[in-house]
Amino acid sequence: MPTLTSQEMVASLVNAYCGQNATLRQKHVFEQALFALVRLAKSEQMMEIKANVRKLTGPLVPFVPRQTVKQQAQARLAQMALPGLEEKVGAPSATSRRRK
């Protein structure tokens, strides 16, 4: 038995239900209602699968990105920084910028 796609199944249901007496608009409305049911069934199935996976695997641990090498180096330098370091290096401090 060949497997039918959802589009082929909807078309055969529309033809079987509406027959020759229905207008194009009626066929279109019925066809779109069936496609909406297919989408709803797919989304319900996906939500059920996700719920089952959550039951099996437990809650997901939030992703925490690791620091890059550059970020680690910057953190180490920040830890080594001491108060008054700008004056030792020669950077202008707040007192040297004042005019007398």
Side-chain angles (χ1 to χ4, degrees), residues 3 7 12 16-17 20 25 27 33 43 48 67 70 78:
T3 56
Q7 190 168 8
S12 67
Y17 180 75
Q20 301 298 326
R25 183 180 187 283
K27 286 183 178 182
S43 67
E48 187 176 339
Q67 285 186 335
K70 184 177 180 179

Side-chain angles (χ1 to χ4, degrees), residues 7-98:
Q7 190 168 8
E8 292 169 341
M9 285 296 295
V10 166
S12 67
L13 284 171
V14 168
N15 289 334
Y17 180 75
C18 294
Q20 301 298 326
N21 299 333
T23 64
L24 283 176
R25 183 180 187 283
Q26 291 171 332
K27 286 183 178 182
H28 177 74
V29 168
F30 186 60
E31 180 182 53
Q32 292 307 308
L34 289 175
F35 278 130
L37 285 174
V38 169
R39 286 191 297 274
L40 178 64
K42 284 181 181 180
S43 67
E44 286 176 347
Q45 182 182 23
M46 185 57 66
M47 293 197 45
E48 187 176 339
I49 289 171
K50 287 180 181 181
N52 290 337
V53 168
R54 235 179 270 118
K55 283 181 189 175
L56 291 173
T57 60
L60 294 176
V61 179
F63 174 72
V64 179
R66 294 184 351 188
Q67 285 186 335
T68 63
V69 175
K70 184 177 180 179
Q71 289 171 336
Q72 290 173 355
Q74 289 174 344
R76 278 191 226 113
L77 288 173
Q79 289 173 351
M80 294 176 6
L82 301 172
L85 184 64
E86 300 87 21
E87 295 159 357
K88 292 178 184 176
V89 176
S93 64
T95 56
S96 65
R97 284 185 253 157
R98 290 187 201 156

